[in-house]
Amino acid sequence: MSTQPLPPSAVQTSPGLARTRHILGLVVTHGLLLTGAAFILLPFVWMLATSIKPPDEVFTATFSLWPKRFYGVENYSYALTAAPLLRFALNGAILCGGILIIQLLVAIPCAYALAKLRFPGRDVLFVLVLLGLAVPVQVPALPLYIGLANLGLLNTYFSMMVPFFLSVFAIFLLRQFFKSFPDDIIHAARLDGMSEFEIVWRVVTPSAWPAIAAFSVFSIVAHWNDLYWPLIVITDASLAPPPLGMMFFANAETGSNYGALTAAATILTAPLVITFLFARRQFIQGITMTGVK
Amino acid sequence: MARVELRALAKSFGAVPVLSGIDLDIADGEFLTLIGPSGCGKSTLIRMIAGLEPQTSGSISIGGVSIDHLRPHERRVAMVFQSYALYPHMSVFSNIALPLTMQRLSLWERLPLIKLLSSRRRRVMPEIAREVRAIAEQLQIEHLLDRRPARLSGGQRQRVALGRAMVRHPDVFLMDEPLSNLDAKLRVHMRTELAELHQRLKTTFIYVTHDQVEAMTMSDRVAMMDAGRILQLGTPTELYERPINIKVASFIGSPAINLLKAKVGHDGYIELMDRRLTLQTPLEPGADVTLGIRPEAMFPASSEEIRTGRASLPASLRRKENLGSEFILHFDVAGPASVVARVPAGPVVQAVNGSVELSFDVAACHIFNEQGERIEPNPLDSCELSRPRTLVASGGGV
Amino acid sequence: MARVELRALAKSFGAVPVLSGIDLDIADGEFLTLIGPSGCGKSTLIRMIAGLEPQTSGSISIGGVSIDHLRPHERRVAMVFQSYALYPHMSVFSNIALPLTMQRLSLWERLPLIKLLSSRRRRVMPEIAREVRAIAEQLQIEHLLDRRPARLSGGQRQRVALGRAMVRHPDVFLMDEPLSNLDAKLRVHMRTELAELHQRLKTTFIYVTHDQVEAMTMSDRVAMMDAGRILQLGTPTELYERPINIKVASFIGSPAINLLKAKVGHDGYIELMDRRLTLQTPLEPGADVTLGIRPEAMFPASSEEIRTGRASLPASLRRKENLGSEFILHFDVAGPASVVARVPAGPVVQAVNGSVELSFDVAACHIFNEQGERIEPNPLDSCELSRPRTLVASGGGV
Amino acid sequence: TPLLAETTLDVLYPQPSFAKFHEPIAQEFMKRHPDIKITFRAPVANYDEGHQVMLRQTVTNQLPDLYFSGFHLQTELVNALLKRQQITEIGPFLDAEPAEWRSANYSEKIIDLGRVNGKLYGMPVNASTPLMYFNEELVKKAGGDPRKMPDTWEGVIALAAKIRDVSPGVAGLSYNVHDWPDDWLFRALIHQSGANMLDASGTKVAFGGEPGLKALTYLRRFVTETGMPLIDFDSSRQQFTAGQTGILFETPARLRQITDLVGNKFTLGTAVFPVDDKAKGGLPTGGSSAVITARDPAKQKAAWEYVKFMTGPEAQKIVVEITGYLPTNKLASGPEFLGPYYDANPNFKTITYQTDRSVPWQGYPGGSSVRIWRLQRDIINGVMRGETPPQAGLDRLVKETTALMQ
Amino acid sequence: MGFAFPAFLLLLVIIITPLIVLFYLSLTDYELGALDFRSVGLGNFQKAMSDPVFRRSLWNTVLYVSIVLPGAVGLGLLVAVLVHSRKRTRSFYEMIYFLPVTSTLIAMATVWQVLLHPRLGPINAFLRQIGIGEVAFLSDPSLALPTIAVIGIWQLVGFNMVLFLAGLSAIPKDLYEAAEIDGCANGIDRFLTITWPLLGPTTMFVIITTSITAFKVFDTVAVMTRGGPAGASEVLLYAVYLEGFQYFHTAYAAALTIIFLVFILIFSVIQTFVIDRRVHY
Ligand SMILES: Nc1ncnc2c1ncn2[C@@H]1O[C@H](COP(=O)(O)OP(=O)(O)OP(=O)(O)O)[C@@H](O)[C@H]1O
Ligand SMILES: Nc1ncnc2c1ncn2[C@@H]1O[C@H](COP(=O)(O)OP(=O)(O)OP(=O)(O)O)[C@@H](O)[C@H]1O
Ligand SMILES: [Mg+2]
Ligand SMILES: [Mg+2]
């Protein structure tokens, strides 16, 4: 059991080397991250730059960030007045809010049942849920459209929301989360006289809010930006959500006012960025706790 | 009044039997502890009493009334969980008040917003608050009522969990390892508090633990379980002094009982390492037996002369553990086996070293047959008392 | 050779000082335990020695050479974590082999796929395997080498963690509460194994715990820490028998030492509940003192007659805890305070009830002044020895 | 004079940006017809999407009362709607109007654009033929005369090659046929040589010979000789407005937008689309026609009123000024209406010089026009890239088109 | 159970019934707007198998997935690892990398077109500077799909980063410390010894969600290249869209949809297997 000397090849750290290594590490890390960030930001920089340019400066032979003529006021006021942008944002909020609320109302009890209750057909249901995860809206679009038409429900907020009422992703995420919820607390609640209904909403749900926050970000981002389905079911412009509204600017056949277009894009992206900013901490914590790891 | 009777209770998970044939009568106001190794079914049993897990067969009654068909909250039992199971998003006050609001308010009166409309609620809530405060005072947690459980220490959480159980004035308290999440010091302290609570409330307590110290110190009776059955039921002293088999003997007591292989000699006397002991059993000569000797029953022979009714073993000291007030001595003996003795601190034990004779009181030996069951020695007649002396090798000492 | 010296070591997290002015010499081959309440900085100290946390000031040297600038793996220390920190995705073999492969193979020889090309690797690996097997044999885990940590029991994981530390043949073993995740029985067992390992390896061990039993039973010396400083450094017996202040006295020993308020009388003798004890201190008359009396030093007076050098207190029994081999008796005394006595099991203690006189050996009292520091009593001259007898109220008893 | 009770017309139009003329026209109309209320559905992105929406809505009975169909999809739409009797023939309404009014407002050639199977189902609302845009500075630098731009393809190619040579990095011309969503630009190259896509029977490919080969050869030469970049049409337009392309062929509907995007960077000029066969050469007419899908006679009547207004000179003036389209009303170009505007904006007037070349743009039989064009486009793309020689490309074009026409 | 009932009902109405309808349609020759149709058995499926356009879209999709998958997962992991070790700048980087997830594609498509413009775009300006010359990213048939894929990566990196960050924060810190003592001195060693193996389950999840997302690529293609040039970027869902909504071959589109679903389901099955019994160490 004699101790062996360190192998001669091992170069020992000197105090100076340690510092150099630390600084070098910082340079490499930030170098990589900033390079990536530049790539990520490039479109946004162009978007912001364009949103303050007059039309004749949008396309020039040499690229410049700052316009010769500041046109931001015009572009933004045009974006806000030419189409009811705030109305679109409001529609987007109603749409996202409505979808989110129903998604949660449906997914939470289902996820709870999948995670904590034993009932026949549970595994079949779970497999179906996973199947649902793979189906994009494009797939059931046509039958749904015809169904809604027969019910006379086209061109309503409801018709825009209905295909998304069931979020299999939410069920999956929340099920993972609920699985780690202590059984003891549920037992305690039963002993205290709570019904299963109350257990779900008064005990399990309040503790799941990081996961709910995480899911909300996913859901809001997806439905705020969804174009495909509203395009199909909406014929009334006053119900249009943001991307549909954006089409008023992005249309290719005639005057695309790029300045106003990017201004509108900026205005309509901002709420999402702000949402993420606020939910960021819970978001990552929430995903961590859902066992998606 | 709150006598708990379990009759032929059994439970299987799927095809796996977990509990079988549990018969148990727990008197009103008794403190009964279920003890046993991990996985033996203690939690399952207590949860069946609470109604959280349906039994496969058998019946449970409280106060003479069968409760098999009752839902958990109708059973008039309260449970304290190992994890405390406090509602993490509610204040301590709400945690304790919850069972009462559930009991006394209708669903409508509990719904958010709608509840504000109820005038009955406005009448009932102050009552509940009064009761909660009374309980909190008893447990000395009044100052914590506004906190969330996350901001409490382990001991405080423990008390809140107790409060939540007490507020319902249940007929039976069920506790599933309520102290095992606490650190050693706090555990000792809470042990006392629980025992005193029991004395004060005089309610039936069914207490689950796998810590034999808890079982010994708090209980009126202890039921030692293993593999889904009750091995022995009795007072702590009975279990310690007359364990019915090796499992019970070695589970109870710390350091654990020393178990030594021995044989029944041709005349029925037990021979341990070729030394004949003044212990006679009804077993066949030549049968293998196991002798159980508690560590505190052994000490190095040099520390006192070998007296009547004692025997000794040659042993060599391997390690001494100083606990301050006492020493745990680890010896190697022939077998090869190791033997532990527990000796009060003092100059004598300090001096122990190398080979010694380990002396023990023959009357304190527990005898177990090959199946591990306890065998009572034959009573010794007076003439036997003098004979063994010659058999005891006089101690080598330090 | 592997003497560890800490000089004026200090650490702050931001502006918060966590350790200050730690000076400690640990001899080669010594088993030193750091003990202290939670948050006192034990982990921080040991992590600084390992190089996982940079110190704010001061220096650390091992074997006389400063290691302040060395990275953790260059320090020739090995660490066993409370959580074991085994690599969950590697087999036991790979877990133990990892430090060696890191040491002996270059980065290329470790890269996935590329490593297969190295011929040196093919030469080195069998050597490593041999060493790993040797360690595994020592720890009796050869049969587990292919398993993943998740499939091991607590004690087995513990051993693997030890193996991983041992395989590097470090100069110093650092262990941060390595036993606290084990259950009570296993903890007792592993305590012995660790102590024996130390005896065999004769390497320096620095061991962190907050369990005083571990500290007492295994260490050559114990450093009791509090709030980032070392309160007392000494052998276990020193700490138990001569704690330098109340904190040390009450941290060490279980059940905890009884602390009783007393006063210095006009002639320098200590008066406890108006009874004068045969203890004289150099303190001013009228000063407040605290008397520390270990539970094992007290017993109900009726159980033996009160002898020279003993005193007694009127007390009333609140609760008896039966531990099988002994009883813990809880008394209420005037103050109001509570006092714990620890008495071997026996018919006498069984009979104790109601009001008793609690007798204790005056020489076994620890005296602490108002600042909580230990005060040595003046040596008693022979004539003093007889006087106090009249002062001791003769016990009421059962 | 409310001869009708309040009638509401549900109108759907493609191209959201057309809101700029649809809205004011509807306002004006409602002022004049207080008994008719115009409500717009959310506009659809383009003619193709609009077509899909209409077809879906035939199935679900959600059709609007009035729709503006792209000319190239008109035939298919009408046929699909006829199957379910969901379309109203416009002919009877028009015939009921006074003859002199009709001849004063519409040229029969324009009205013919709305005929399907010989019956009038669509009333042409806006029309366009491809237009040449150019950068006057670049043209001048290359020795060209902005007021006398070449009117043959050889001439254009020569000028564009010059432009490229004298201004390095600049593309000579851009003719985005390889990327165009429909076959408008390809047809233009066939029609301009006096040929036709289909023979008189309307069932056989007619561009297989000389005209097709010539068109494909021109296209290849655009790339090789004039440095035309093979990029998408958005990018082409952007490059032109940035002053990096000499000549651009585009729809006049973009004139307003391009004028704005160019601003003061260079002088924008427009010229007529070069036509090799000055006698027979034609140009396919893009744009849209109003299609009445209302079922209720009162609504049909109201819809006809609206269509009349929409194709009237006041409304057409608005349409032209906002887009650059060719007006479909004869009076609109007159001095009362667009005259002064054209004088002030000569670039907008150019399109009127090629009015007479308008020929109808009709789909292929068999209902696979969209698919046929996608296939043709891929082949043309290959020819322009030089992957396929023009003759081989032409052979494939004929073969595949014929196959899909069944 | 009552709790799962609303979800089950919606599942039935929103997903299962339409799928059944779709499957039924795929066995007919229905065209949108047609008044009658008849059964053609598996004819549509046979046709799909021999349809070169469909085969090309299948191949394009596979190519797209095979670029996006390693790119978005690898870069997401790299960014997550780098960001995770930051303290003060962490939220800054998280925000930036998450931006594309929140952006509206309609606007971003135009922006990308301009950025990638061979003549006017800043990217080509940069390439010209370093002497590579103009690259027609979106119009060169060999580059269009990879370019769309890069944009796909751009959209997904932030999303995957967040998932990986969640995975990283679940790795016990003391493992890194143990590794450091054991001699894992540099980042590469630590990554290979701890991070990568312990991120296994996260990686599986990310790979599966990323591949499903990548299989579902539609918007970017529809908005930016419309399948061009010369079909070089025509992907599965776009082909389905063309058949269903441009050519109105509803039944054939339904058959293609079913094939698409089968493809994607293979991944879901893997997900069921791996995630639920995920590599539990
Ligand atoms: N829901 C369940 N399904 C299947 N088996 C179960 C279930 N719950 C418990 N068991 C099994 O029943 C046995 C008894 O479990 P139980 O929890 O009652 O043990 P315990 O005595 O409380 O142990 P511990 O001291 O570890 O808490 C164990 O073997 C366990 O694996
Ligand atoms: N990274 C850190 N940042 C700030 N404070 C810290 C950090 N790590 C430890 N501390 C603080 O330093 C003090 C000492 O912590 P340390 O972990 O050393 O305690 P300990 O004695 O090991 O306690 P325990 O017995 O609970 O493990 C604590 O008050 C803790 O809050
Ligand atoms: Mg249990
Ligand atoms: Mg610690």
Side-chain angles (χ1 to χ4, degrees), chain A residues 118, chain B residues 13 18 36-45 47 53 82 176-177 208 210:
Chain A
R118 277 168 281 179
Chain B
F13 284 109
V18 168
S38 190
C40 70
K42 309 180 292 295
S43 296
T44 307
L45 180 56
R47 286 161 38 150
E53 199 84 71
Q82 173 175 355
D176 192 354
E177 310 199 19
V208 164
H210 58 235

Side-chain angles (χ1 to χ4, degrees), chain D residues 195-380:
Chain D
N196 225 324
M197 300 302 283
L198 298 174
D199 67 1
S201 71
T203 54
K204 263 193 75 190
V205 174
F207 58 79
E210 182 61 20
L213 186 62
K214 213 161 143 200
L216 289 181
T217 315
Y218 282 149
L219 288 173
R220 176 65 185 149
R221 286 171 65 199
F222 291 164
V223 179
T224 53
E225 294 177 29
T226 75
M228 170 182 166
L230 286 171
I231 54 182
D232 68 286
F233 54 78
D234 279 328
S235 300
S236 282
R237 197 179 332 118
Q238 291 161 3
Q239 181 163 345
F240 178 76
T241 61
Q244 300 289 304
T245 304
I247 302 169
L248 174 74
F249 293 91
E250 257 283 8
T251 162
R254 288 230 174 80
L255 188 49
R256 166 58 55 207
Q257 177 200 357
I258 291 178
T259 306
D260 288 347
L261 287 175
V262 168
N264 299 324
K265 279 180 293 205
F266 59 86
T267 317
L268 175 70
T270 58
V272 292
F273 192 85
V275 173
D276 285 341
D277 185 336
K278 299 279 185 282
K280 284 197 290 164
L283 292 174
T285 314
S288 64
S289 60
V291 173
I292 299 177
T293 41
R295 314 295 297 275
D296 171 27
K299 286 201 173 194
Q300 289 174 348
K301 186 116 198 349
W304 169 243
E305 284 303 318
Y306 187 57
V307 171
K308 263 190 342 196
F309 184 74
M310 188 84 204
T311 54
E314 293 98 332
Q316 285 294 308
K317 178 172 182 286
I318 300 177
V319 173
V320 172
E321 286 180 9
I322 282 174
T323 57
Y325 268 124
L326 186 64
T328 55
N329 188 290
K330 279 205 257 181
L331 298 175
S333 322
E336 284 170 72
F337 297 102
L338 282 164
Y341 180 77
Y342 278 155
D343 292 342
N345 300 278
N347 279 344
F348 279 77
K349 194 170 185 186
T350 313
I351 188 70
T352 60
Y353 302 142
Q354 52 192 45
T355 310
D356 294 340
R357 298 215 181 272
S358 297
V359 296
W361 176 15
Q362 274 167 2
Y364 292 92
S368 298
S369 302
V370 183
R371 184 173 206 156
I372 290 174
W373 169 241
R374 284 191 75 88
L375 252 166
Q376 290 176 341
R377 192 173 67 180
D378 290 353
I379 298 168
I380 293 170

Side-chain angles (χ1 to χ4, degrees), chain A residues 78-158:
Chain A
Y78 181 79
L80 285 168
T81 52
L85 212 56
L86 296 181
R87 172 83 215 183
F88 299 148
L90 179 68
N91 288 338
I94 293 174
L95 191 64
C96 291
I99 290 176
L100 182 62
I101 289 171
I102 308 261
Q103 278 178 336
L104 292 175
L105 286 179
V106 171
I108 288 175
C110 178
Y112 173 77
L114 285 175
K116 290 290 183 195
L117 301 178
R118 277 168 281 179
F119 60 94
R122 184 176 77 166
D123 295 337
V124 176
L125 184 63
F126 186 58
V127 169
L128 285 179
V129 163
L130 284 170
L131 183 144
L133 210 53
V135 179
V137 245
Q138 281 93 339
V139 172
L142 200 63
L144 276 181
Y145 172 78
I146 294 171
L148 283 171
N150 288 336
L151 295 173
L153 287 171
L154 285 180
N155 205 21
T156 54
Y157 283 120
F158 177 81

